[in-house]
């Protein structure tokens, strides 16, 4: 019995040693994209055209496709998002598609355990949702299947699927503003620092909203943190948005002097440009 076990063990080792580690025809890829305060992650394999006709041939029309190769493509999001008017809770989903000539049906699927498209194990009842999109034609051949994220703002992004001469565009929205307001509220309640107040003020200024509130935050940042060129820079922008051009010029001059002392020439130039602009506003107001 011992001899038989030893022979089997040696044969197993011999087979494993003889196996080659070879490059994959459809290599694995992982894409991670921050959008506002959300992170989107896609894990998939990237098949190549290799001279083949893809859609309508290698990927038949009217049949489920795994959106890549090998294991099912996984889409993970760490906050609730909206995809084509469908609410998608945070989590991981399998991506599938039913390609056709004039329209595609895209599927976000809750069962991530299938290999590939799941074949007969795939159950539409496990779909999170489906929606239709119209494929776009691109003027160049995309050799390897590609999933990418483009047109990124704080609140929106387009997920693109591109292969051969076809592109699918999937718009995704996230409520970054609500998340950020909660973040500001939470941080200001828990031992806020000058930087906390500054970042809250800068966010509101960049979003072009609640300027009076933002001014209060940046003034608190200056009170706690002292003279800082970027604190004064943001204060000048907020004051200008409130049409207080005299105050904005004074803050910009202070920011410029502090920035010059620290060798931050880009801030010197930005402040100079704004000072000229706001002085022109004052001249127009006097006329």
């Amino acid at each position: 019995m011992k001899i038989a076990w030893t022979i089997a063990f040696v044969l197993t080792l011999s087979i494993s040693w003889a196996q080659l580690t070879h490059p994959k025809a459809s290599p694995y890829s992982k894409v991670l994209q921050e959008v506002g305060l959300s992170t989107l992650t896609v894990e998939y394999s990237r098949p190549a055209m290799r001279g083949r006709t893809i859609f309508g041939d290698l990927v038949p029309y009217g049949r489920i496709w795994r959106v890549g190769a090998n294991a099912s493509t996984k889409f993970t999001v760490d906050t609730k998002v909206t995809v084509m008017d469908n609410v998608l809770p945070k989590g991981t989903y399998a991506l599938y598609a039913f390609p056709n000539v004039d329209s595609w049906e895209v599927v976000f699927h809750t069962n991530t355990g299938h290999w590939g498209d799941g074949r007969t194990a795939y159950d539409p009842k496990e779909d999170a949702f489906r929606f239709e999109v119209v494929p776009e034609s691109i003027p160049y051949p995309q050799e390897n299947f590609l999933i990418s994220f483009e047109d990124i703002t704080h609140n929106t992004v387009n997920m693109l699927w591109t292969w051969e001469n076809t592109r699918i565009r999937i718009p995704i929205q996230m409520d970054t503003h609500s998340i950020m307001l909660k973040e500001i509220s939470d941080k200001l309640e828990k031992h806020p620092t000058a930087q906390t107040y500054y970042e809250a003020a800068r966010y509101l200024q960049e979003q072009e909203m609640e300027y009076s509130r933002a001014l209060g935050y940046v003034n608190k940042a200056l009170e706690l943190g002292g003279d800082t060129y970027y604190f004064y820079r943001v204060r000048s922008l907020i004051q200008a948005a409130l049409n207080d051009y005299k105050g904005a010029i004074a803050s910009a001059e202070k920011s410029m002097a502090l920035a010059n002392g620290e060798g931050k020439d880009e801030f010197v130039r930005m402040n100079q440009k704004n000072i000229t602009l706001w002085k022109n506003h004052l001249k127009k107001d006097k006329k």
Side-chain angles (χ1 to χ4, degrees):
M1 188 73 177
K2 256 186 185 179
I3 294 172
W5 183 89
T6 302
I7 292 172
F9 179 71
V10 170
L11 285 173
T12 301
L13 284 178
S14 298
I15 292 169
S16 65
W17 287 336
Q19 289 177 336
L20 292 174
T21 301
H22 55 81
K24 295 178 180 177
S26 302
Y28 168 84
S29 183
K30 184 174 182 177
V31 184
L32 186 150
Q33 181 62 60
E34 292 184 354
V35 183
L37 295 175
S38 303
T39 300
L40 311 178
T41 306
V42 175
E43 297 176 79
Y44 72 116
S45 294
R46 301 188 60 193
M49 288 172 59
R50 295 200 296 274
R52 301 174 293 182
T53 299
I54 303 302
F55 296 112
D57 190 355
L58 181 67
V59 178
Y61 288 133
R63 199 176 96 179
I64 190 170
W65 178 46
R66 74 188 77 182
V67 189
N70 302 327
S72 61
T73 293
K74 309 296 190 303
F75 175 90
T76 301
V77 62
D78 63 354
T79 65
K80 180 178 71 175
V81 300
T82 302
V83 184
M84 291 287 284
D85 298 323
N86 298 283
V87 175
L88 186 70
K90 70 177 182 179
T92 299
Y93 303 86
L95 296 178
Y96 295 115
F98 291 83
N100 281 295
V101 177
D102 298 320
S103 69
W104 283 35
E105 200 168 24
V106 173
V107 182
F108 280 69
H109 192 68
T110 60
N111 188 335
T112 60
H114 297 313
W115 174 262
D117 58 23
R119 298 296 177 180
T120 57
Y122 170 79
D123 185 353
K125 292 178 182 177
E126 294 179 311
D127 292 347
F129 50 78
R130 295 184 179 205
F131 54 86
E132 286 192 4
V133 294
V134 176
E136 305 170 14
S137 294
I138 58 173
Y140 60 88
Q142 172 65 43
E143 174 65 24
N144 288 88
F145 176 59
L146 175 67
I147 296 180
S148 59
F149 294 98
E150 301 293 342
D151 309 312
I152 303 165
T153 71
H154 286 333
N155 301 289
T156 60
V157 66
N158 285 321
M159 177 166 59
L160 306 181
W161 301 350
T162 310
W163 201 14
E164 199 176 31
N165 293 101
T166 298
R167 173 169 292 157
I168 296 297
R169 186 180 304 270
I170 301 171
I172 302 173
Q173 298 85 36
M174 45 282 297
D175 190 1
T176 300
H177 184 58
S178 293
I179 299 171
M180 189 63 189
L181 289 182
K182 186 178 185 305
E183 174 83 358
I184 289 172
S185 178
D186 289 346
K187 291 294 173 65
L188 291 181
E189 287 179 2
K190 299 173 183 177
H191 311 292
T193 64
Q195 190 69 16
T196 310
Y197 283 106
Y198 161 72
E199 289 174 357
R202 186 181 66 181
Y203 172 75
L204 294 176
Q205 179 267 317
E206 288 176 346
Q207 297 304 301
E208 300 180 350
M209 62 187 303
E210 298 190 54
Y211 290 118
S212 295
R213 183 179 173 189
L215 184 60
Y217 286 157
V218 76
N219 286 340
K220 189 68 176 177
L222 284 162
E223 177 188 328
L224 294 175
D227 290 351
T228 308
Y229 68 88
Y230 49 90
F231 287 5
Y232 277 109
R233 166 73 179 164
V234 168
R235 186 165 84 162
S236 72
L237 297 172
I238 295 169
Q239 288 170 313
L242 290 167
N243 296 319
D244 177 13
Y245 296 117
K246 286 184 179 180
I249 291 167
S251 293
E253 288 174 342
K254 186 72 174 176
S255 173
M256 185 168 60
L258 291 167
N260 189 53
E262 295 186 35
K264 303 292 183 180
D265 62 302
E266 68 275 23
F267 276 87
V268 172
R269 294 194 303 273
M270 286 190 292
N271 280 305
Q272 285 175 332
K273 184 176 179 180
N274 284 132
I275 289 168
T276 301
L277 175 66
W278 296 331
K279 283 183 176 179
N280 287 334
H281 276 295
L282 286 176
K283 287 179 183 178
K284 290 179 182 178
D285 290 342
K286 288 178 181 178
K287 289 180 180 180

